[in-house]
Amino acid sequence: MEAPSFTMATRAEPEAPNARNEALAPARIDIPVSGMTCAACQARVQRTLARQPGVHDAAVNLMTNTATVTYDPTAASPKALVDAIRSTGYGAELVVPGRTIVDEQDAQDAAYAEEYHALVRKAAVSVVAGITAMVASLPLMTTSAHGFTHTSSDPFMRSVASTLTPPLRRALPWLYAIDPRALSFFLLTTTVVVMTWAGRHFYTRAWAALRHRSADMNTLIAVGTGAAFVFSLIATVAPGVFTARGVAPDTYYEAVIFIIALILVGNALEARAKRQTASALRGLVALQPKVARVERGGHEVDVPVDDVRRGDIVIVRPGERLPVDGEVVSGTSAVDESMLTGESSPVTKRVGDRVIGATINRAGAFRYRATTLGEASVLAQIVRLMREAQGTRAPIQRLADRVSAVFVPVVISIAIATFAIWYVAADSASGVRAFAAAVAVLIIACPCAMGLAVPTAVMVATGKGAELGILIKGGEALQRAGSLDVVVLDKTGTVTEGRPAVTDVIVVGQTRTEAQLLVAAATIERQSEHPLGAAIVAAAHDRDLALGAAESFSSE
């Protein structure tokens, strides 16, 4: 399917107040937010911003870690909004002054890459530690580290032990020769290392949420793994608390490690999704050349594109991308603007015509005056609109936000009720079994999937659209697109690939065959940089035709 073209909309600048002192138009700001890990985090920040005086609308996106706020500049300020976010326990900073949207995208890409690699390392170490802890725990399921001969009170673990113990005892006899008490302390040490290194952020964020009288996914993880660790710690250092009551001092270190490992794996996959969906924006940013050739002091010099000033004369040669927007002052050429319009045919540019940065000069050299730079450039506007689209909420997200706001308290209440029911109903080891059931509720009931589903879908859709040349306005447009029955296109250029292709070869007369005619044309055109010539050469290559060598060539 051929790729549609970009459609770009611009936002009108606010008008200055008139003599009657009309209110200023609402301002809009994007604030980077750090520390959010789940839908509850997102909902808390969003509610706090929405309650601030002067705020008309607040949308917090968990995937982009950005809060987009529309506010009345006479009643609120960017600093006040940042302080409001920080009051919830999350980090927030204003965008660095003078940094372009391209610089912001580069910084975001670097942050995504750093986050992804850190999570992969932690997840890999935790998985290995979890497997090690599971193997080391098997001998403890059949004998106690404190002389209390038993089998595990957990029916599942008892089944696992009875299945795996015989082959494992034959494969690793030395493991069963180790003092069970030493194995317990080895597992204790391993678990402490995993909790304090790989999983430390879960506990620090849970504590921060508690200090602000709220709860989130980190609260569930911290309470579940923390309870399992405390239970196992008591069973290791004070087993008499259990043996005196006829209960086996079981430990759950491997469960703690595996829970942290699995959640880290999920977080790593989420970070990977962020990086992949941002690839389209990276592709747009990469379209802009890093260097521009300008006239300075009567000489042509290459300067970084950020150093180009308004009014500079920029020189471009055939095959080069235009570094900035401007107006042609001398020369004539054909410019490929398919990245913007989708039209496959180059557009002839003459003196006085406008040219767009990141488009390709196909034929001829020309000089033009730089007019719009940085944030005002067309490419920067496209990137900004894409980032704004990825940060918008679809209408269905409001339902997820409402559910997420009460999800954690409900889950904790269910866990408490589960403990009480198991404690009363269990026929043996009621405390242990009730505790294990309550921890299972806390760990399994993770709200991440619910909170991340919609923003992830918006990011993937808008990112894929940009990759194919479609600029999607936001989540609401995506949701409404699901009910469309008819799509009307205004011109053929919007459904082209942005480059021409040979569809038919028609021979007039009988002097040559189709193949001979195509070989002759391609032999000549492969010396040309024109898109139509490139299409003819590509057609010859697709048919495996051998091309000859042109004795002379001139491009007019």
Side-chain angles (χ1 to χ4, degrees):
M1 179 177 176
E2 297 181 335
S5 66
F6 280 112
T7 300
M8 188 181 68
T10 57
R11 188 170 60 246
E13 295 294 331
E15 296 181 358
N18 59 21
R20 294 187 298 176
N21 295 322
E22 292 182 356
L24 292 174
R28 179 185 177 121
I29 186 174
D30 293 329
I31 304 174
V33 183
S34 59
M36 296 189 300
T37 57
C38 68
C41 306
Q42 170 187 312
R44 182 160 70 253
V45 175
Q46 192 164 288
R47 287 196 305 271
T48 300
L49 287 172
R51 288 196 296 263
Q52 299 306 304
V55 172
H56 299 312
D57 182 66
V60 180
N61 191 293
L62 184 59
M63 292 297 292
T64 59
N65 294 320
T66 303
T68 301
V69 186
T70 303
Y71 65 98
D72 181 356
T74 63
S77 67
K79 185 179 183 303
L81 298 175
V82 168
D83 291 340
I85 295 174
R86 290 174 178 171
S87 70
T88 63
Y90 301 97
E93 299 290 342
L94 290 175
V95 175
V96 179
R99 191 163 71 173
T100 66
I101 193 70
V102 174
D103 294 332
E104 290 178 20
Q105 187 60 40
D106 289 340
Q108 186 182 75
D109 291 344
Y112 282 166
E114 182 180 358
E115 176 190 22
Y116 173 69
H117 292 306
L119 287 171
V120 167
R121 285 194 301 270
K122 291 181 178 181
V125 172
S126 299
V127 168
V128 172
I131 295 173
T132 303
M134 176 64 77
V135 173
S137 297
L138 286 174
L140 300 181
M141 296 179 188
T142 54
T143 183
S144 174
H146 309 281
F148 187 85
T149 302
H150 73 291
T151 57
S152 174
S153 57
D154 188 320
F156 174 75
M157 299 307 294
R158 187 164 59 245
S159 174
V160 171
S162 63
T163 302
L164 297 181
T165 294
L168 188 63
R169 188 185 292 273
R170 290 191 299 270
L172 302 174
W174 55 268
L175 180 63
Y176 287 80
I178 298 176
D179 182 3
R181 186 176 178 83
L183 281 178
S184 294
F185 277 96
F186 165 75
L187 293 171
L188 170 61
T189 303
T190 303
T191 305
V192 169
V193 170
V194 172
M195 293 176 71
T196 56
W197 174 67
R200 179 175 58 186
H201 60 283
F202 296 134
Y203 305 101
T204 56
R205 291 170 181 172
W207 174 248
L210 180 62
R211 287 192 295 107
H212 291 86
R213 300 178 182 178
S214 61
D216 55 23
M217 185 199 72
N218 298 296
T219 304
L220 296 180
I221 298 170
V223 171
T225 58
F229 176 76
V230 170
F231 184 94
S232 302
L233 178 63
I234 296 173
T236 300
V237 300
V241 173
F242 297 94
T243 57
R245 294 168 175 78
V247 176
D250 289 329
T251 60
Y252 294 90
Y253 294 121
E254 74 287 346
V256 174
I257 297 175
F258 264 121
I259 288 167
I260 293 175
L262 291 176
I263 294 173
L264 286 172
V265 169
N267 291 343
L269 293 176
E270 292 168 10
R272 180 172 175 266
K274 290 180 184 180
R275 294 187 68 198
Q276 290 180 335
T277 52
S279 62
L281 288 179
R282 287 196 296 272
L284 290 176
V285 171
L287 291 177
Q288 184 180 44
K290 302 298 182 184
V291 177
R293 185 179 300 106
V294 301
E295 290 184 356
R296 295 277 174 87
H299 300 283
E300 294 184 8
V301 294
D302 291 339
V303 300
V305 71
D306 292 338
D307 292 343
V308 176
R309 299 188 293 268
R310 188 185 304 274
D312 276 346
I313 300 300
V314 183
I315 301 97
V316 288
R317 295 168 182 164
E320 295 181 342
R321 284 190 182 272
L322 280 64
V324 295
D325 301 351
E327 181 179 313
V328 178
V329 296
S330 68
T332 302
S333 184
V335 178
D336 180 357
E337 295 184 340
S338 59
M339 58 79 63
L340 182 67
T341 64
E343 297 288 358
S344 57
S345 298
V347 180
T348 301
K349 298 293 182 180
R350 299 180 177 86
V351 175
D353 289 343
R354 184 190 182 197
V355 289
I356 306 299
T359 56
I360 304 174
N361 179 30
R362 289 295 185 186
F366 65 93
R367 299 161 64 248
Y368 71 97
R369 180 181 294 106
T371 55
T372 52
L373 308 172
E375 291 293 286
S377 68
V378 172
L379 181 63
Q381 291 182 54
I382 292 175
V383 175
R384 185 195 308 110
L385 290 172
M386 278 298 307
R387 285 167 59 92
E388 290 178 0
Q390 290 185 338
T392 58
R393 290 183 297 162
I396 196 173
Q397 181 68 30
R398 300 189 185 98
L399 174 61
D401 291 342
R402 288 196 296 269
V403 175
S404 299
V406 298
F407 189 86
V408 175
V410 169
V411 168
I412 293 177
S413 300
I414 294 175
I416 294 173
T418 300
F419 180 90
I421 293 172
W422 273 86
Y423 190 83
V424 173
D427 54 357
S428 63
S430 57
V432 176
R433 298 178 68 178
F435 172 80
V439 169
V441 171
L442 292 172
I443 299 305
I444 293 172
C446 174
C448 273
M450 175 182 61
L452 286 172
V454 176
T456 300
V458 172
M459 279 199 73
V460 171
T462 54
K464 191 63 177 177
E467 182 180 331
L468 297 175
I470 307 170
L471 187 60
I472 300 172
K473 188 175 182 180
E476 183 174 359
L478 278 173
Q479 185 169 334
R480 289 185 176 181
S483 59
L484 294 180
D485 297 319
V486 179
V487 177
V488 180
L489 303 173
D490 64 336
K491 58 180 180 177
T492 58
T494 58
V495 289
T496 62
E497 290 185 347
R499 59 180 181 272
V502 175
T503 58
D504 298 284
V505 178
I506 301 174
V507 180
V508 178
Q510 304 298 324
T511 57
R512 294 188 179 186
T513 64
E514 287 188 11
Q516 290 173 334
L517 181 60
L518 188 56
V519 166
T523 298
I524 298 173
E525 292 295 347
R526 70 174 175 176
Q527 309 296 324
S528 171
E529 72 278 359
H530 197 281
L532 296 180
I536 294 172
V537 174
H541 287 320
D542 291 342
R543 303 185 188 192
D544 296 325
L545 299 177
L547 304 184
E551 295 180 359
S552 63
F553 175 83
S554 177
S555 177
E556 298 295 337

